[in-house]
Amino acid sequence: MDRPLDVADLEALKAARRLLENPGLAARMTDLIGAPIEKGLGMLPASWHGRIADLTRTALSKAADAAIFTLEDVPGGGSSDKWHKWGAALSGGVGGFFGIAGLAVELPVSTTLMMRSIAAIARSEGESLRDADTRRACLMVFAMGGRADADDAAESGYYAVRVALARAVGQAADYLGAKVAADKAAAPAMVRLISIVADRFGIQVTEKVAAQAVPALGAAGGAVINTLFIDHFQDVARGHFIVRRLERKYGEDAVHAAYLALESR
């Protein structure tokens, strides 16, 4: 039977909600560079939007296969957020030095670092990295990090996005617990799930590239933007896995109700 959250856990839920419902990546980068992201988007060649979509899918595919398996499965272990930020800053600096042309090299590296950081945060909140559901939840953080073009205000909140993703992922199949290389039948499901997440994550990647396209940012700007990029997804991951930890303790319905009650205050 579901029970009310105690005081400490309610405070944790409040912190999670602040992380999950904060301004999106575009707003943060606009504050950083002092110019609307739309200005940078106008500087991108039309062909690059499709190019970014392709690179995003490739980066997510590689990250999903590689990052989690470099961590020990010790639920409650540390998350090393600062180490991952330094790595993202370094890759962003290299990418910024080469400009948009460096994205094909930089994006898979930064995405893998973010996936590793997300997985470490999941582990620190008590998740087992051997659990297929945990791996799926890690991948879904990339989709929760911002809105997709088709969203409206009613569909952009944390729980609304999470339910929509869970429904879509459920239709795709639970491929994350399988070794795709050994099971060719799982490959179509993998492609479908990556596509679902990439559609949303690609919006944030495009915003990041647009910010880096603003003149005079260069390598230093690329490092700062990448740090902001990973910081954004670390916040989403922390909030998401706090919610999941509380759901394991109290039940999904109780935590959902408490979350909605916070929104009405």
Side-chain angles (χ1 to χ4, degrees):
M1 181 177 180
D2 293 337
R3 57 192 174 91
L5 278 64
D6 64 30
V7 174
D9 287 333
L10 184 58
E11 289 301 313
L13 185 63
K14 289 179 182 178
R17 184 181 179 278
R18 285 194 295 270
L19 293 171
L20 291 164
E21 307 293 349
N22 264 349
L25 183 63
R28 295 188 188 191
M29 290 192 295
T30 293
D31 290 342
L32 175 69
I33 66 178
I37 293 298
E38 286 75 11
K39 180 179 179 181
L41 288 171
M43 298 176 184
L44 296 178
S47 62
W48 264 92
H49 290 276
R51 174 70 168 149
I52 289 171
D54 292 339
L55 289 172
T56 300
R57 287 182 177 84
T58 301
L60 282 173
S61 297
K62 293 180 178 179
D65 288 338
I68 292 176
F69 299 106
T70 64
L71 291 168
E72 291 185 63
D73 184 33
V74 184
S79 57
S80 303
D81 292 1
K82 291 183 179 179
W83 184 92
H84 290 107
K85 285 179 184 176
W86 278 109
L90 180 61
S91 68
V94 173
F97 180 80
F98 289 103
I100 296 176
L103 185 66
V105 175
E106 183 268 325
L107 185 60
V109 174
S110 61
T111 302
T112 299
L113 280 167
M114 285 194 294
M115 174 63 90
R116 193 179 191 279
S117 181
I118 289 166
I121 289 169
R123 182 183 64 181
S124 75
E125 294 293 339
E127 304 263 356
S128 170
L129 301 183
R130 294 178 182 174
D131 191 329
D133 183 59
T134 298
R135 297 177 188 176
R136 180 171 56 241
C138 288
L139 186 60
M140 289 168 66
V141 167
F142 288 100
M144 294 175 182
R147 293 178 60 180
D149 289 338
D151 289 350
D152 60 31
E155 296 174 333
S156 60
Y158 166 68
Y159 269 103
V161 173
R162 181 175 165 184
V163 168
L165 287 170
R167 185 180 301 117
V169 170
Q171 292 170 353
D174 184 9
Y175 82 90
L176 285 174
K179 293 183 179 179
V180 176
D183 183 4
K184 293 183 180 180
M190 181 182 74
V191 172
R192 170 64 177 153
L193 182 52
I194 291 294
S195 178
I196 292 166
V197 176
D199 283 346
R200 299 185 67 92
F201 180 49
I203 302 296
Q204 281 63 251
V205 173
T206 302
E207 291 169 348
K208 180 178 91 78
V209 174
Q212 289 178 265
V214 173
L217 284 181
V224 172
I225 288 171
N226 246 33
T227 302
L228 189 61
F229 194 50
I230 191 172
D231 185 67
H232 172 68
F233 283 98
Q234 285 177 340
D235 284 352
V236 174
R238 181 65 65 186
H240 178 47
F241 288 108
I242 287 174
V243 170
R244 283 172 57 90
R245 172 170 59 79
L246 295 176
E247 287 176 346
R248 291 193 297 274
K249 182 175 180 180
Y250 294 97
E252 292 184 11
D253 290 343
V255 176
H256 190 182
Y259 192 100
L260 294 178
L262 292 174
E263 291 180 351
S264 64
R265 292 180 183 179

